[in-house]
Amino acid sequence: LLLLDIPDGTETGMYTGAADLLIIHRVVRRKPRTIFAEVKTETGVQSPAQKKFQAHIDEMGLEYCVVRSVEDLMEIINNGG
């Protein structure tokens, strides 16, 4: 399992709206999964830039999720959603 924090593009001049986390998860005898995770509070909502980034990831056929807790994230990693 590889977990990376993606900095906000507004500070770096890079892609704004990028997900907070990039997870690469390798399961034995399967190809690795690439998951982009946006972390939100219980009442948090995605910005328009975040929705645009999600659409871009969806078009590429990769996984994108919004998580509200560590438990949410672990459920997605361990059980595929």
Side-chain angles (χ1 to χ4, degrees), residues 3-9 15-23 35-41 45-47 50 53 57 64-68 73:
L3 176 64
L4 303 170
D5 175 38
I6 302 174
D8 188 311
Y15 202 121
T16 58
D20 295 313
L21 302 172
L22 168 61
I23 301 115
I35 308 163
F36 291 86
E38 180 63 35
V39 180
K40 293 291 182 195
T41 65
V45 296
Q46 290 176 287
S47 70
Q50 290 168 335
F53 181 81
I57 295 304
Y64 182 99
C65 60
V66 176
V67 297
R68 300 184 186 281
L73 182 60

Side-chain angles (χ1 to χ4, degrees), residues 3-77:
L3 176 64
L4 303 170
D5 175 38
I6 302 174
D8 188 311
T10 56
E11 297 173 11
T12 62
M14 301 296 281
Y15 202 121
T16 58
D20 295 313
L21 302 172
L22 168 61
I23 301 115
I24 300 172
H25 184 229
R26 173 87 187 221
V27 179
V28 177
R29 298 190 190 124
R30 292 187 186 166
K31 73 178 196 175
R33 291 172 61 204
T34 302
I35 308 163
F36 291 86
E38 180 63 35
V39 180
K40 293 291 182 195
T41 65
E42 284 298 318
T43 58
V45 296
Q46 290 176 287
S47 70
Q50 290 168 335
K51 289 179 182 180
K52 182 179 176 183
F53 181 81
Q54 179 180 359
H56 185 84
I57 295 304
D58 290 344
E59 287 171 8
M60 292 176 31
L62 300 171
E63 293 182 64
Y64 182 99
C65 60
V66 176
V67 297
R68 300 184 186 281
S69 67
V70 172
E71 292 79 17
D72 286 352
L73 182 60
M74 294 311 297
E75 173 71 19
I76 289 164
I77 292 170

